[in-house]
């Protein structure tokens, strides 16, 4: 339902296509974040997150363009993101307990105009006992990507998204 409302809001805003929003791919991990090495080496959440945002943004009428760093030098709109936390506790036998937290800011010509924090948690969903840890983390970044794309369609400063709402 939320996605439908966002699509309607975008359509109501007019048919003119906005310029692409620039962002990095892969999404960097936050400086000082303590994230298990296995997540960084075995899972590719930083790439999956960027791809999910691009895919979901297109679904709400926003184009995302991947650019090299630094975003502060990019003209127009840029989405500055960092993976602040990623947790991969549990497993298929005792139950998954996974989460990913992302902080972000929308920049216009290098100036910050709005921020958010997004988090999604997952226990694996249907057939979770048959999924690996990276697969469950992929579920979280896909959900966060959808949350961020919806926010991008109507940015609100200081927003909390996903399981933080």
């Amino acid at each position: 339902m939320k996605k439908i409302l966002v699509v309607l809001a975008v359509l109501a805003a007019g048919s003119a296509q906005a310029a692409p929003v620039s962002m990095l791919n892969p999404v960097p991990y936050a400086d000082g974040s303590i994230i298990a090495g296995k997540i960084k080496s075995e899972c590719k959440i930083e790439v999956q997150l960027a791809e999910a945002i691009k895919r979901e943004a297109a679904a709400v009428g926003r184009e995302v363009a991947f650019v090299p760093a630094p975003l502060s030098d990019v003209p127009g709109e840029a989405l500055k993101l960092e993976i602040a936390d990623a947790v991969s506790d549990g497993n298929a036998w005792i139950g998954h307990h996974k989460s990913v937290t992302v902080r972000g800011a929308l920049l216009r010509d290098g100036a910050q105009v709005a921020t958010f924090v997004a988090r999604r948690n997952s226990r694996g969903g249907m057939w979770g006992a048959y999924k690996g840890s990276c697969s469950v983390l992929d579920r979280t970044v896909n959900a966060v990507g959808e949350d961020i794309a919806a926010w991008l369609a109507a940015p609100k400063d200081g927003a909390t998204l996903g399981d933080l709402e």
Side-chain angles (χ1 to χ4, degrees):
M1 180 68 170
K2 184 178 180 182
K3 196 173 190 177
I4 293 171
L5 292 174
V6 170
V7 170
L8 291 175
V10 169
L11 291 175
S15 60
Q17 178 69 15
V21 176
S22 301
M23 67 175 277
L24 302 178
N25 182 8
V27 174
Y29 290 97
D31 288 340
S33 63
I34 301 172
I35 297 173
K38 283 189 174 190
I39 293 173
K40 291 181 176 180
S41 65
E42 295 176 14
C43 305
K44 299 297 177 210
I45 63 172
E46 67 277 16
V47 173
Q48 293 167 334
L49 176 60
E51 294 292 337
I53 293 168
K54 184 173 185 165
R55 179 181 63 249
E56 296 298 331
V60 296
R62 292 301 309 259
E63 182 183 353
V64 169
F66 297 138
V67 297
L71 289 174
S72 58
D73 296 340
V74 173
E77 289 188 327
L79 188 57
K80 182 178 179 184
L81 302 168
E82 62 183 9
I83 299 172
D85 191 29
V87 176
S88 181
D89 290 334
N91 57 45
W93 308 112
I94 64 171
H96 292 286
H97 302 277
K98 316 294 187 214
S99 69
V100 173
T101 304
V102 178
R103 285 192 296 255
L106 180 63
L107 309 175
R108 283 198 186 111
D109 297 321
Q112 182 175 296
V113 294
T115 63
F116 68 85
V117 177
R119 176 183 300 137
R120 282 296 180 156
N121 307 303
S122 182
R123 294 177 62 83
M126 182 66 124
W127 309 110
Y130 299 100
K131 295 178 182 172
S133 291
C134 291
S135 176
V136 179
L137 281 169
D138 186 39
R139 288 173 50 91
T140 64
V141 295
N142 282 326
V144 167
E146 187 174 336
D147 297 333
I148 293 170
W151 176 84
L152 193 55
K156 178 183 169 196
D157 192 30
T160 52
L161 310 176
D163 291 329
L164 297 175
E165 285 185 298

